[in-house]
Amino acid sequence: MEASKILPMLKKKLAFLSGGKDRRSGLILTIPLCTEQTSMEELSATLDYLLGIPSEKCKARGFTVIVDGRKSQWNIVKTVVLMLQNVIPAEVSLVCVVKPDEFWDKKVTHFCFWKEKDRLGFEVILVSANKLTRYIEPCQLTDEFGGSLVYDHLDWLNKRLVFEKFTKESTSLLDELTVINENEKGSQAEKDRSSESNILPSFDPETVLQTGHELLSELQQRRFNGSEGGGGGTAWSPMDDELLAQPQVMKLLDSLREQYTKYQEVCRQRSKRSQLEEIQTKVMQVVNWLEGPGTEQLRTQWGIGDSIRASQALQQKHEEIESQHSLTSCCLLQEWFAVYVELNQQIAALLSAGDEEDLMELKGLQQQLSDVCYRQASQLEFRQNVLQSAHEFHMTAQDMSQQLDGLLGMLCADVAPADGAAIQQTLKHLEEKLKSVEGALQSLREKGQVLLDQMSTQTSFSYGKDVGIENKENIDHIHSVMEDMQLRKQRCEDMVDVRRLKMLQMVQLFKCEEDASQAVEWLGELLDALLKTHIRLGDDSQETKVLLEKHKKFVDVAQSTYDYGRQLLQATVVLCQSLRCTTRSSGDTLPRLNRVWKQFTVTSDERQHRLEMASAFHTAAEKILRESPELAELMVDVEAYEEVETVGKGLLDRLTVPVIFPDGSEQFFGSPGDMASSAESIRERMKLVEEKRFLQEEAEQRLDEEALEAGPRES
């Protein structure tokens, strides 16, 4: 009976062998009854399994059965005890019924086990749990009876399952390995064996051996110092089934290792035979295909395509030729050489082992494989190199074509940049694209020459026979592509020259417009400076003349600025006509230039007039102020005084009048304070002239009086 078949019953712990022993060294069988109804069938099956574990020697010493009835009813206890008579009457030496303290006292009188000893075949005693040590040592009792014996039912059950599983698998595996080894030994003289004779074991030997070693290690770890028999005060001893399991496991492991070693040698020989047969098959497959369909396939594959897609399709087809493999066609190129290397290794192993059977045949296959493989490999490599070069050539051609398309698109697009900087950037980008196209053309020529050199090489298809390859169509295609790209590049270069000239003119146009706008700004700044800083009229005639000279130079600068702006705008008109920019004009630059120039002209004329009036005023005033009023002959004419007064008043009135521009707007020279200061200076000089006139009038009056007085005196 196996534990796995009654595992649910064993988990219930209806009965167990704790490993404890009585004073006669008999095993202790414990039946822990519970409050629930105990199935007698399950208990009987559990006892049958447990009693099958010990050896006959252990059974001969007899069992001490502990029936724990503290949680059960009397009739169940009685039934269990009577059942022992039918299950194990000969092996039972003593039955200890553990009773509750005060529950069965009246019941016992109705049935006395000691009177039934002869009929039962064993002695039955009723005992309390605390008095059980009178019959069994405490070290042989588990903790529920106040003992110190350690027992884990689940641990024991798991070990039993592992042990029985290992025993079953190892025994079966041992039988299978023995049969396999004997069959191999008996048929060793046969050269050809069918695959049906290669029987495989049902279990993995490595796994079974690993399980056995782990089980043996666990069993050995439970071994303690002490004798097998249980005497007073002896140390705890391992369970009897564990002591029996250890040598059994060791014996099975030894037998398994022996048969497994033989089996490994059998497998090695099988592998060797299979390897030889596989190598021979592969060699013949490779040789037959390479000398037939393989060579014919390569003979017909010499195109290079006319585009990237076509060259990629040819490369893919070539890779398919390399990777084809079936029992009747061909092998992978890599596998050809793998078989070749494997064959060399196998021959070396045969030579070292002294096994020269089929050696000459293998060497012949090796040489034949070597010749065919290297010939085919060189052809495939040559073809692969040609296709790779063709792919690179077409990629470069396509890349250059795309670059030319992009460059042509830039050249055909209208140029409408926002400013000169944008034109410069566009021109730089154009030059970079042209340079990139030149580099692509150079690369295309180099790759085309490499491809032409490769295609001019002769190759042999089989057995050294040179076969001419018709490459005229491919060579013409390569030259045609390079010439076409050269012509397209030349056309683009011509267009770039035209575009470059146009863009340089546009840069000049933007520069003229920008400088014209700058001239307008400069003229505006001159006008602003004229109105705000050219305020003084001079304190005397000399200073006024200096201011007049400066004013003329200032006007000359403004005139040059205006003329420069006009010239720039005229150049802009010419460039627009050259560029056919009908939609482009000078915009508001010319009106602004004319407007500012008219304002400047009006302002400068006003400034000129004021300075001239100030010069006349100061000249007349200085002429009067230089003459001495004491000298009669130097008397100033009245008209000179009137001239100073008239010019001064006119100048003062002029200072209060703003400059009126052509558009009707007005603007004063300087600030009101500046004008007041200039007017005050003029008034002070007019005051001095007035005082001089007064003194002159007094002198004239005095002279008149003296003349009147002298007249009567003479008469």
Side-chain angles (χ1 to χ4, degrees), residues 29-67:
L29 175 64
T30 305
I31 304 176
L33 300 177
C34 56
T35 55
E36 300 177 358
Q37 185 69 27
T38 302
S39 172
M40 292 299 117
E41 292 79 5
E42 292 182 352
L43 178 59
S44 176
T46 302
L47 292 175
D48 288 341
Y49 174 76
L50 293 176
L51 293 176
I53 294 175
S55 63
E56 295 298 328
K57 182 179 179 181
C58 290
K59 292 180 181 180
R61 297 173 188 158
F63 290 89
T64 294
V65 182
I66 299 177
V67 181

Side-chain angles (χ1 to χ4, degrees), residues 9-133:
M9 297 182 193
L10 294 177
K11 285 184 177 180
K12 293 180 180 181
K13 199 179 178 182
L14 300 177
F16 61 89
L17 290 170
S18 63
K21 299 179 181 179
D22 56 22
R23 293 191 173 105
R24 298 187 303 275
S25 297
L27 295 178
I28 297 176
L29 175 64
T30 305
I31 304 176
L33 300 177
C34 56
T35 55
E36 300 177 358
Q37 185 69 27
T38 302
S39 172
M40 292 299 117
E41 292 79 5
E42 292 182 352
L43 178 59
S44 176
T46 302
L47 292 175
D48 288 341
Y49 174 76
L50 293 176
L51 293 176
I53 294 175
S55 63
E56 295 298 328
K57 182 179 179 181
C58 290
K59 292 180 181 180
R61 297 173 188 158
F63 290 89
T64 294
V65 182
I66 299 177
V67 181
D68 188 0
R70 290 175 292 178
K71 297 180 181 180
S72 182
Q73 300 176 358
W74 165 252
N75 57 345
I76 295 176
V77 173
K78 183 173 63 174
T79 302
V80 170
V81 172
L82 292 175
M83 184 186 67
L84 292 176
Q85 179 186 13
N86 300 323
V87 178
I88 49 173
E91 288 83 1
V92 176
S93 301
L94 176 64
V95 177
C96 296
V97 178
V98 182
K99 63 177 182 175
D101 293 338
E102 297 179 354
F103 187 71
W104 290 343
D105 290 345
K106 295 180 181 180
K107 301 281 185 179
V108 173
T109 56
H110 297 285
F111 186 82
C112 296
F113 284 116
W114 64 273
K115 295 180 179 179
E116 302 294 331
K117 179 179 180 181
D118 294 336
R119 186 171 65 87
L120 293 174
F122 48 79
E123 181 182 0
V124 180
I125 60 174
L126 296 175
V127 63
S128 300
N130 56 1
K131 296 180 180 179
L132 194 59
T133 54

Side-chain angles (χ1 to χ4, degrees), residues 370-548:
S370 177
D371 295 341
V372 174
C373 282
Y374 277 109
R375 187 184 307 116
Q376 188 76 357
S378 63
Q379 295 168 8
L380 288 172
E381 184 179 5
F382 178 81
R383 174 62 176 163
Q384 181 64 35
N385 292 338
V386 170
L387 289 177
Q388 182 62 33
S389 298
H391 180 68
E392 293 176 359
F393 174 78
H394 289 122
M395 280 189 63
T396 306
Q398 179 175 317
D399 180 62
M400 182 177 178
S401 178
Q402 291 175 351
Q403 292 186 32
L404 288 171
D405 291 341
L407 181 58
L408 185 61
M410 287 185 62
L411 295 172
C412 294
D414 292 334
V415 181
D419 51 28
I423 294 179
Q424 292 285 4
Q425 185 65 29
T426 303
L427 185 58
K428 181 181 178 181
H429 187 49
L430 196 63
E431 297 289 350
E432 290 176 351
K433 275 190 168 293
L434 183 59
K435 186 177 180 180
S436 178
V437 168
E438 291 176 352
L441 180 60
Q442 181 62 29
S443 178
L444 181 67
R445 289 171 177 169
E446 294 174 356
K447 295 184 183 302
Q449 188 59 47
V450 170
L451 184 56
L452 289 172
D453 293 342
Q454 288 179 335
M455 297 187 67
S456 63
T457 304
Q458 291 290 334
T459 184
S460 60
F461 275 98
S462 63
Y463 301 107
K465 290 184 178 181
D466 292 336
V467 179
I469 307 301
E470 187 60 39
N471 285 324
K472 185 178 184 303
E473 182 179 352
N474 295 330
I475 294 174
D476 292 343
H477 169 70
I478 296 170
H479 286 298
S480 174
V481 170
M482 292 192 293
E483 291 173 359
D484 179 62
M485 292 300 170
Q486 175 64 37
L487 292 175
R488 290 181 62 187
K489 173 183 173 293
Q490 187 61 47
R491 288 195 295 269
C492 285
E493 282 182 342
D494 296 340
M495 295 178 68
V496 167
D497 292 338
V498 176
R499 177 56 62 89
R500 185 187 295 110
L501 178 60
K502 182 177 181 180
M503 296 183 76
L504 290 176
Q505 289 179 339
M506 293 193 70
V507 171
Q508 188 176 3
L509 172 62
F510 277 111
K511 182 63 177 176
C512 290
E513 292 178 347
E514 182 181 352
D515 291 347
S517 298
Q518 185 65 48
V520 174
E521 293 180 6
W522 288 344
L523 199 58
E525 292 173 358
L526 292 174
L527 174 61
D528 190 60
L530 181 61
L531 287 169
K532 293 182 179 179
T533 61
H534 293 212
I535 302 169
R536 287 182 54 79
L537 298 175
D539 295 332
D540 52 37
S541 60
Q542 187 65 32
E543 184 179 358
T544 302
K545 290 180 180 178
V546 173
L547 290 175
L548 274 170

